[in-house]
Amino acid sequence: MASSGFSWTLPDHPKLPKGKTVAVVVLDGWGEANADKYNCIHVAQTPVMDSLKNGAPERWRLVKAHGTAVGLPSDDDMGNSEVGHNALGAGRIYAQGAKLVDLALASGKIYDGEGFNYIKECFDKGTLHLIGLLSDGGVHSRLDQVQLLLKGASERGAKRIRVHILTDGRDVLDGSSVGFVETLENDLSQLREKGIDAQIASGGGRMYVTMDRYENDWDVVKRGWDAQVLGEAPYKFKNAIEAVKTLRAETKTNDQYLPPFVIVDESGKSVGPVVDGDAVVTFNFRADRMVMLAKALEYADFDKFDRVRVPKIRYAGMLQYDGELKLPSRYLVSPPEIERTSGEYLVKNGVRTFACSETVKFGHVTFFWNGNRSGYFDETKEEYVEIPSDSGITFNVKPNMKALEIAEKARDAILSGKFDQVRVNLPNGDMVGHTGDIEATVVACKAADEAVKIILDAIEQVGGIYLVTADHGNAEDMVKRNKSGQPLLDKNGAIQILTSHTLQPVPVAIGGPGLHPGVRFRSDIQAPGLANVAATVMNFHGYEAPADYETTLIEVVDN
Ligand SMILES: O=C(O)[C@@H](CO)OP(=O)(O)O
Ligand SMILES: [Mn+2]
Ligand SMILES: [Mn+2]
């Protein structure tokens, strides 16, 4: 910060000492909900997390993890990892990508910016390609934003538009892809009536095509590249509605895993490969699952897969996805400027930090935690360990994932005495919850609970402090419900499995032998959320949080 008088030095906490080892455990997708058979956390044996609950109200409480409490447009928006970890790490609530794009579209500012003017240069002679997740989930993208962008771009000169869709089924119900494609087709046909050559050109399921993250499996991105850029895919259809319906029925895959397809014309030729002189926009606002494609589209030097043909294009992201890498260099909307995160403050005050997860969540406790910034603040004081995730499987097949390995790494880091903060993300509840497999999710919750035990035992041994929390709900509710909370049935009388996150609050549990006996949760904070955690953790390290941070959850009473 340039303002005069700014200092990275944190004030000492008046009562809490420095030098304690603090474990910060984030259970991904672990919310609090009524106990019934669709609450996998309740069904699973989770003795450790259950015992922490006994600390309520002084050492266990709930905080908000969705909606405006984490910077999303409304309280109807479920939480997600990006906004959750941003809030946990930054200690403040930032208007997040979803909201910033809404504002830019509503004001029309999106069309005045550098990014739009850059791609607009291609409208005369080239094609505008839009690539992204097609749903109203609001986690990575939103269909209504795509609709507005299509309208806005066509009004501003785009004459030929191709949309490359990724079907969802993870943030929305499985099978809902058909309806989203119908809505989009309807808009495109209206554009065609106005003389604009607008079509869907390719597609595929988000988890199988394009939207990998943290470089877990480049084949996913390659499958997308082949369909979107080269116009090649194992399946060819005349239209996208038929494509999605047929592939769901015939390949027995769900929306998340649809194989890649291209739309072809009468002569069997793909209708929309990306060629020299075209413009490309990736319309997801969320970063993690667009970074890999952004690299493939933007980098001249690229060796992750054979791109075969690298068209000379003008590319812009909906947002800039990585502030440190400045990737992509052109974007339509500026991302939230998340600065002065707790990680940076603590490192600058000498707190040695260890962070660990497996690949699929590794960036959550590093990149998202640090305000969408990759890399270390100070290599001499930080160590980030990534445990390779299994790739090419759905995680209901191996619901234990790498929970044990993550916990053992954390345990070793705690016992080594080399670190003051040991931070992990345990992915199980979330990653397995997204598969919609209830039995496997129960196993996943148990595995996460066992991992927590290993970490808390290590904290016990070194006389440290723990804070266990979650980034949003998922595994605690696996069924779509009506307004009064009853499971919704489809026309065949079957329950509708909920693969998405939820609106539920998440627990925060604190304790450990190093925690001052007078520490307890305050009862005077109105509806605290994840952003209140950062100041709390700073307190455990013996510091007070900066004045503009959301307030700490704790107080220290003299006993
Ligand atoms: O898998 C993901 O990309 C999202 C859901 O869309 O989950 P999370 O926010 O937990 O990473
Ligand atoms: Mn998450
Ligand atoms: Mn998730």
Side-chain angles (χ1 to χ4, degrees):
M1 268 207 340
S3 69
S4 62
F6 170 74
S7 161
W8 283 105
T9 307
L10 292 169
D12 294 337
H13 192 280
K15 293 185 177 162
L16 297 177
K18 299 189 175 42
K20 300 284 180 192
T21 308
V22 180
V24 180
V25 179
V26 182
L27 292 152
D28 212 293
W30 190 285
E32 180 72 10
N34 290 340
D36 71 10
K37 63 180 178 179
Y38 303 114
N39 178 339
C40 293
I41 298 171
H42 161 70
V43 175
Q45 282 175 21
T46 53
V48 181
M49 290 304 289
D50 293 349
S51 73
L52 295 183
K53 231 189 236 189
N54 297 333
E58 301 202 335
R59 293 201 166 179
W60 183 96
R61 67 160 303 151
L62 295 173
V63 296
K64 283 190 164 189
H66 79 286
T68 51
V70 285
L72 291 168
S74 88
D75 285 338
D76 295 330
D77 293 304
M78 61 196 166
N80 70 69
S81 290
E82 177 178 51
V83 300
H85 287 79
N86 281 171
L88 285 166
R92 285 147 296 161
I93 302 163
Y94 287 87
Q96 286 285 350
K99 191 162 170 184
L100 298 173
V101 174
D102 283 344
L103 293 171
L105 282 165
S107 66
K109 284 214 174 94
I110 195 167
Y111 305 114
D112 301 334
E114 216 191 299
F116 189 81
N117 280 310
Y118 175 68
I119 57 160
K120 208 168 94 181
E121 294 288 311
C122 300
F123 287 1
D124 218 19
K125 297 203 180 83
T127 301
L128 168 64
H129 298 265
L130 303 180
I131 307 177
L133 182 67
L134 192 76
S135 80
D136 63 5
V139 173
H140 294 269
S141 65
R142 278 213 333 264
L143 174 58
D144 61 320
Q145 296 178 344
V146 181
Q147 292 178 289
L148 288 173
L149 188 59
L150 277 169
K151 184 168 177 289
S154 59
E155 285 166 1
R156 287 165 183 80
K159 298 188 190 66
R160 193 165 184 275
I161 302 176
R162 293 293 180 264
V163 189
H164 303 264
I165 63 168
L166 300 163
T167 53
D168 191 346
R170 189 174 177 91
D171 301 326
V172 289
L173 291 185
D174 182 46
S176 60
S177 60
V178 178
F180 294 124
V181 177
E182 283 168 352
T183 305
L184 176 62
E185 282 290 14
N186 191 33
D187 280 35
L188 295 174
S189 87
Q190 285 176 19
L191 288 179
R192 287 197 292 273
E193 276 166 28
K194 292 188 188 137
I196 291 156
D197 172 8
Q199 284 190 63
I200 295 176
S202 77
R206 57 176 283 178
M207 298 302 283
Y208 191 63
V209 177
T210 299
M211 282 174 60
D212 188 45
R213 64 178 164 206
Y214 308 140
E215 312 211 354
N216 194 41
D217 185 359
W218 276 102
D219 281 348
V220 175
V221 186
K222 178 180 169 12
R223 282 192 278 271
W225 181 272
D226 290 351
Q228 297 141 3
V229 178
L230 306 182
E232 289 165 11
Y235 294 94
K236 298 180 172 55
F237 290 92
K238 292 276 158 50
N239 79 70
I241 298 173
E242 183 203 335
V244 171
K245 282 188 178 163
T246 310
L247 290 173
R248 280 182 57 84
E250 286 180 6
T251 65
K252 297 270 179 293
T253 43
N254 56 24
D255 287 350
Q256 296 190 55
Y257 283 91
L258 284 194
F261 62 87
V262 289
I263 304 302
V264 293
D265 62 17
E266 293 305 322
S267 66
K269 239 179 80 204
S270 139
V271 300
V274 180
V275 298
D276 287 355
D278 286 354
V280 175
V281 171
T282 48
F283 60 75
N284 287 16
F285 42 73
R286 173 159 152 178
D288 56 348
R289 294 189 185 276
M290 273 296 129
V291 163
M292 293 165 76
L293 174 58
K295 286 181 178 168
L297 287 167
E298 182 142 313
Y299 287 169
D301 275 339
F302 180 87
D303 59 4
K304 303 302 181 184
F305 59 84
D306 181 3
R307 290 180 292 184
V308 182
R309 183 170 60 75
V310 185
K312 292 187 190 61
I313 55 167
R314 288 183 174 236
Y315 165 49
M318 183 65 105
L319 258 71
Q320 184 166 64
Y321 301 126
D322 188 323
E324 196 65 15
L325 301 178
K326 305 261 178 283
L327 182 80
S329 54
R330 312 285 178 145
Y331 44 92
L332 302 187
V333 178
S334 297
E337 276 179 50
I338 307 178
E339 27 121 62
R340 295 185 300 108
T341 59
S342 62
E344 186 162 15
Y345 267 112
L346 288 171
V347 165
K348 291 203 158 94
N349 284 272
V351 170
R352 300 159 304 165
T353 303
F354 178 90
C356 174
S357 190
E358 61 171 283
T359 311
V360 292
K361 297 286 181 185
F362 175 66
H364 289 35
V365 273
T366 54
F367 174 78
F368 285 155
W369 193 275
N370 294 333
N372 298 357
R373 181 186 184 286
S374 46
Y376 292 112
F377 296 112
D378 179 348
E379 256 170 89
T380 66
K381 296 204 178 64
E382 291 165 283
E383 186 178 339
Y384 297 168
V385 172
E386 174 184 348
I387 298 178
S389 285
D390 291 313
S391 64
I393 61 162
T394 55
F395 287 102
N396 55 334
V397 181
K398 287 193 181 170
N400 289 347
M401 301 182 68
K402 306 293 179 203
L404 179 63
E405 290 85 342
I406 296 166
E408 286 176 348
K409 281 275 187 259
R411 175 199 63 199
D412 295 348
I414 291 165
L415 299 181
S416 75
K418 289 198 290 198
F419 299 101
D420 306 296
Q421 181 176 118
V422 172
R423 184 168 78 225
V424 299
N425 175 298
L426 297 169
N428 310 62
D430 183 67
M431 292 302 287
V432 187
H434 280 304
T435 67
D437 181 335
I438 293 181
E439 257 173 64
T441 307
V442 170
V443 177
C445 293
K446 180 167 184 275
D449 192 72
E450 287 165 358
V452 175
K453 177 165 188 349
I454 294 171
I455 297 167
L456 299 199
D457 284 351
I459 284 295
E460 189 70 31
Q461 273 191 54
V462 300
I465 301 172
Y466 61 78
L467 183 147
V468 182
T469 187
D471 59 341
H472 52 77
N474 185 337
E476 80 287 357
D477 198 6
M478 298 291 288
V479 70
K480 177 113 176 131
R481 295 173 190 271
N482 63 18
K483 285 218 172 72
S484 52
Q486 302 306 314
L488 270 178
L489 303 182
D490 66 16
K491 44 185 187 302
N492 305 318
I495 57 151
Q496 296 189 46
I497 292 287
L498 190 74
T499 53
S500 71
H501 300 163
T502 69
L503 304 172
Q504 295 302 118
V506 299
V508 180
I510 55 173
L515 192 61
H516 184 296
V519 168
R520 63 178 191 199
F521 283 130
R522 292 162 57 178
S523 54
D524 61 336
I525 317 171
Q526 292 297 314
L530 291 176
N532 297 84
V533 167
T536 313
V537 172
M538 284 171 154
N539 293 166
F540 293 168
H541 286 292
Y543 297 102
E544 294 228 73
D548 64 342
Y549 270 45
E550 294 295 321
T551 184
T552 178
L553 293 167
I554 58 152
E555 60 188 357
V556 189
V557 292
D558 298 315
N559 36 8

